[in-house]
């Protein structure tokens, strides 16, 4: 998605530890119109696949996932990273090591929001080492639902997880794939 690459070049900054900061349009401040454009692009990519539900992980995946859910007219569910009192007892869980927080969370999805047989599209803002996606895949599997694919805004291709998942037969659609990034430059994979 050309517009996303342009936005990354214009507004993104590279932080130590291979972290790309996109707080001005995707993470902390969200460019609402642009997020809806991403949602529509995801809907276009998955047209005709019969997706019945979108699954993401809190918190930064939620905006994109809801935009895709609106464009596809399906519910959006997010995995929680922290247990809260109002969380139902019947949950699916999976451990996920956080790339940005350097700790392992137990993510949880209420069973009632992920019925068996659902055709699930995973949506997230970034794909780095693949831990978030793999945790969500584990939950989908446990629920007896079907993973249709993963739609990612920004894949850091140089970290390898996206290509590994593709090799394993998982459908991964990333709207921008970064093959290299330094303080001065970001290089995208042609796709
Ligand atoms: P993974 O689990 O694939 O290693 O990392 C994906 C998760 O970590 C995403 O949900 C995202 O929130 C966060 N993340 C990974 N890399 C980056 C990055 O470069 N910038 C930002 N802002 N978040 C990232």
């Amino acid at each position: 998605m050309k517009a996303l690459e342009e936005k990354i070049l214009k507004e993104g900054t590279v932080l130590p530890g291979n972290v790309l900061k996109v707080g001005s349009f995707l993470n902390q401040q969200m460019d609402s119109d642009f997020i809806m454009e991403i949602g529509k692009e995801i809907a276009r990519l998955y047209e005709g696949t019969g997706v019945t539900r979108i699954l993401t992980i809190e918190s930064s995946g939620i905006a994109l996932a809801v935009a895709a859910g609106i464009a596809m007219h399906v519910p959006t569910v997010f995995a929680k990273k922290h247990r809260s009192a109002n969380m139902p007892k019947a949950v699916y869980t999976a451990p996920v090591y956080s790339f940005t927080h350097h700790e392992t969370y137990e993510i949880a999805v209420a069973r009632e929001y992920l019925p068996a047989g659902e055709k699930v599209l995973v949506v997230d803002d970034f794909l780095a080492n693949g831990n978030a996606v793999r945790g969500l895949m584990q939950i989908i599997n446990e629920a007896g639902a079907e993973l249709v694919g993963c739609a990612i805004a920004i894949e850091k291709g140089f970290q390898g997880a996206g290509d590994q998942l593709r090799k394993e037969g998982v459908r991964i659609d990333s709207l921008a794939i970064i093959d290299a990034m330094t303080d001065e430059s970001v290089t995208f994979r042609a796709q």
Side-chain angles (χ1 to χ4, degrees):
M1 191 182 177
K2 204 82 209 137
L4 177 58
E5 293 184 357
E6 281 164 8
K7 210 99 162 128
I8 292 168
L9 290 176
K10 199 160 158 236
E11 299 182 36
T13 49
V14 178
L15 303 179
N18 279 332
V19 173
L20 177 68
K21 186 169 174 277
V22 285
S24 66
F25 65 95
L26 199 60
N27 288 153
Q28 185 162 17
Q29 171 173 268
M30 278 159 270
D31 181 331
S32 312
D33 287 337
F34 188 64
I35 296 235
M36 264 322 294
E37 288 309 309
I38 291 181
K40 284 186 208 153
E41 177 63 7
I42 293 172
R44 192 186 65 76
L45 288 168
Y46 281 85
E47 203 177 341
T49 57
V51 167
T52 57
R53 198 161 289 241
I54 289 174
L55 182 64
T56 189
I57 185 165
E58 71 175 346
S59 54
S60 51
I62 295 176
L64 292 177
V66 171
I70 292 169
M72 296 170 85
H73 306 286
V74 296
T76 305
V77 178
F78 68 89
K80 295 204 176 202
K81 285 180 181 157
H82 303 283
R83 291 296 179 96
S84 60
N86 58 5
M87 186 80 179
K89 288 218 168 48
V91 290
Y92 298 113
T93 61
V96 170
Y97 179 78
S98 165
F99 182 82
T100 41
H101 295 275
H102 309 286
E103 58 179 303
T104 299
Y105 296 96
E106 185 176 75
I107 62 166
V109 175
R111 289 177 181 236
E112 63 188 298
Y113 302 139
L114 195 56
E118 289 287 311
K119 294 186 81 167
V120 183
L121 172 64
V122 165
V123 172
D124 206 0
D125 58 343
F126 277 90
L127 176 59
N129 291 328
N131 294 309
V133 162
R134 285 190 189 277
L136 294 172
M137 284 168 61
Q138 185 180 324
I139 282 176
I140 291 166
N141 193 35
E142 211 190 319
E146 180 195 333
L147 174 72
V148 177
C150 302
I152 306 291
I154 305 171
E155 174 180 336
K156 290 185 292 177
F158 59 89
Q159 293 188 235
D163 289 332
Q164 178 58 37
L165 284 157
R166 289 183 186 99
K167 246 190 244 160
E168 293 170 25
V170 180
R171 177 174 173 184
I172 306 281
D173 293 278
S174 299
L175 304 187
I177 303 181
I178 296 176
D179 268 342
M181 65 184 198
T182 66
D183 285 358
E184 277 103 49
S185 70
V186 175
T187 311
F188 296 102
R189 187 181 300 180
Q191 45 167 357

